[in-house]
Structures are given as structure tokens and as C-alpha cells.
């Protein structure tokens, strides 16, 4: 007979699993509940089978036989079954609400340090799928810090494919793309105002030089006095200016040179 357990939408996966066990469900059903609520929390109910496999692997190990351990799990006494869920709460981040203190603590405990193994590798730490490298660079004679966001955990991704990120050096914020910074318009580095945000710092430098040459030398903006690069940037700037004056969103005109 299958036991169906209801749980409040605000329940974390581990709370729902414990509720299922307390209501008379088997340990296997409690693990299924945990995986189902975790999948729902990620916004992808279809992730349930994969998450259940991960939960089962965390409990039984990764040996073959996906259902072979069910009889063994159901044979555990009540105290042992509760301890299984306690272990999951300590080791499985998605047993908790995403970004909760417990989720972050478990994720942080799962961090892995990867030392350099040769001249072509760099030491790094892996946390939640994000790689953070810190190493001595003989070419620049600096201590370099580098973050790589190629494979963060899916549940940490925003709808636009980015992850909330904040970087500090000696307590000073050098990068802030957090949700709080976005909401208050306080991202670091701050976006440039108006159409200037459509250009890189190198392109702005080129445009300033273009204006200087045109104004200071009394030159017209033509092919005889300016380089192809200067003309291209000046034409982009003019198109953006006209769009801005016409009330059009300048970002719709942004193109890669």
C-alpha cells in the first residue's frame, strides 16, 4: 500500500522527508519525497528522477542495483531511519531551501581543493560547480585571482543564465553582481551612463581621441583624416545618439565591431 503524504509548500525537502517518515511512510518513500520537493524547488519537476538517483547514491553509495537497497533500508529501525535523513541533511545541499543558511553551509563543506599537478595547471577551489583559481603568475609578476563560471549548479542560475556573484579584496568590493546590487542599481563596476555603456573602455578612449583630433585640429570627420577604426566608432556613436534622441532603446543598436 502506498502512503501519500501532504506537506506545506514552505517545507524544505528535508522537512518534507521527515514528515513523510513520521506519518508512517517507508524510508524509500521519504527519500522520494525529498527528491520530489527538491526538484520542485529548482523549478524543474522533470529533474526528479536524477535527483532521486543522487539521493539514493548518497545513502547507499554508488554501487549498481538502483532498487537493491530498498529492502535493506526498510529493515532499519526507526532510529536508524531518522539518522539516514540526518546524514542527508548534513551532506546533500538540496535537502534544504536553495540559498538558505543550511544549503550554503552544506555546499561550502563540499568544497574541493585541486592543487596544481604540473607546469600547465593552476591550484583552484571548486564550490557549487564554480572554480576559483589563485596562483603566482611569473609573466605578470602578480598573484592572480580568476573565477570560472562555466558549470555552476543549475539551481543557482538566474533566468538570464548568470549567477549572483560578489568579489572582494581586503574587504573592498571589486565586483558585485548580486541580486541586491542589481535591485538598487549599485552593481560594481557601475554601468556607464546612457549610450556610453554601449562601448568598452578602449573604444571610449578611441572616441575621445577622435573628438580631440576633430576639434583641436579643425579636421572634419572624413576618411582623409581619421582611421577606419575611428570612423567606425564615430558612426556607431552617431547612430546611438540619434536613437537616444528619438527615444529608442540604444541597446537595440549595439553591435560587435
Amino acid at each position: 500500500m502506498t502512503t501519500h503524504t501532504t506537506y506545506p509548500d514552505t517545507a524544505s525537502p528535508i522537512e518534507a522527508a521527515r514528515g513523510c517518515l513520521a506519518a508512517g511512510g517507508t524510508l524509500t518513500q521519504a527519500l522520494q519525497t525529498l527528491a520530489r520537493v527538491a526538484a520542485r524547488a529548482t523549478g524543474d519537476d522533470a529533474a526528479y528522477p536524477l535527483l532521486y538517483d543522487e539521493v539514493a547514491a548518497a545513502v547507499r553509495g554508488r554501487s549498481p542495483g538502483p532498487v537493491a537497497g530498498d529492502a535493506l533500508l526498510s529493515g532499519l529501525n526507526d532510529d536508524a531511519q531518522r539518522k539516514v535523513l540526518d546524514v542527508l541533511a548534513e551532506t546533500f545541499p538540496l535537502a534544504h531551501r536553495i540559498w538558505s543558511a543550511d544549503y550554503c553551509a552544506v555546499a561550502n563543506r563540499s568544497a574541493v581543493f585541486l592543487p596544481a599537478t604540473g607546469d600547465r595547471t593552476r591550484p583552484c577551489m571548486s564550490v557549487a560547480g564554480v572554480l576559483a583559481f589563485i596562483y603566482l603568475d611569473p609573466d605578470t609578476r602578480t598573484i592572480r585571482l580568476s573565477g570560472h563560471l562555466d558549470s555552476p549548479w543549475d539551481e543557482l542560475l538566474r533566468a538570464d543564465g548568470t549567477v549572483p556573484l560578489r568579489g572582494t579584496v581586503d574587504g573592498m568590493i571589486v565586483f558585485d553582481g548580486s541580486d541586491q546590487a542589481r535591485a538598487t542599481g549599485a552593481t560594481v563596476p557601475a554601468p556607464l551612463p546612457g549610450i556610453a555603456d554601449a562601448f568598452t573602455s578602449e573604444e571610449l578612449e578611441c572616441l575621445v581621441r577622435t573628438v580631440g583630433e576633430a576639434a583641436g585640429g579643425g579636421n572634419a570627420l572624413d576618411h582623409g583624416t581619421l582611421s577606419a577604426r575611428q570612423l567606425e566608432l564615430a558612426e556607431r556613436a552617431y547612430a546611438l545618439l540619434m536613437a537616444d534622441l528619438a527615444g529608442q532603446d540604444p541597446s537595440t543598436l549595439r553591435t560587435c565591431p
Side-chain angles (χ1 to χ4, degrees):
M1 177 179 177
T2 303
T3 300
H4 295 280
T5 305
T6 58
Y7 40 82
D9 291 338
T10 56
S12 70
I14 193 66
E15 290 169 343
R18 285 171 172 153
C20 175
L21 199 61
T26 66
L27 181 54
T28 297
Q29 289 169 337
L31 299 180
Q32 291 170 340
T33 297
L34 189 153
R36 189 170 290 108
V37 177
R40 185 175 302 167
T42 67
D44 183 10
D45 287 340
Y48 163 72
L50 178 61
L51 283 175
Y52 179 68
D53 287 345
E54 288 296 313
V55 170
V59 172
R60 305 186 186 113
R62 299 185 179 275
S63 57
V67 204
D70 286 351
L72 176 63
L73 292 180
S74 63
L76 298 176
N77 61 37
D78 292 345
D79 187 53
Q81 291 184 358
R82 286 191 293 269
K83 285 183 177 178
V84 168
L85 295 183
D86 290 342
V87 170
L88 273 176
E90 290 292 318
T91 59
F92 192 66
L94 277 174
H96 308 282
R97 297 181 189 88
I98 300 168
W99 287 117
S100 68
D102 287 331
Y103 172 93
C104 293
V106 177
N108 290 337
R109 285 197 296 270
S110 70
V112 176
F113 174 68
L114 304 170
T117 56
D119 294 340
R120 292 182 172 273
T121 62
R122 301 288 184 265
C124 78
M125 182 170 64
S126 174
V127 183
V130 175
L131 299 179
F133 293 81
I134 178 168
Y135 57 95
L136 303 183
D137 183 7
D139 295 329
T140 59
R141 299 174 67 86
T142 57
I143 300 173
R144 294 188 58 175
L145 294 88
S146 175
H148 292 258
L149 308 175
D150 299 330
S151 54
W153 292 349
D154 289 344
E155 67 267 20
L156 301 182
L157 291 172
R158 294 185 178 114
D160 63 2
T162 63
V163 294
L165 188 67
R166 175 180 289 170
T168 63
V169 176
D170 286 338
M172 182 177 69
I173 298 175
V174 295
F175 183 90
D176 194 350
S178 63
D179 292 337
Q180 298 92 325
R182 282 188 170 190
T184 59
T187 54
V188 178
L192 293 171
I195 64 176
D197 194 39
F199 297 91
T200 67
S201 58
E202 181 273 331
E203 290 172 340
L204 288 173
E205 169 71 10
C206 186
L207 281 171
V208 170
R209 290 179 179 274
T210 300
V211 172
E213 289 185 18
N219 298 318
L221 298 181
D222 58 33
H223 291 274
T225 57
L226 299 178
S227 69
R229 176 66 164 158
Q230 287 177 313
L231 285 169
E232 185 272 329
L233 289 174
E235 289 168 0
R236 281 176 58 199
Y238 181 75
L240 287 166
L241 176 60
M242 291 298 98
D244 187 53
L245 292 175
Q248 182 180 351
D249 181 3
S251 66
T252 61
L253 296 182
R254 294 180 189 175
T255 58
C256 295

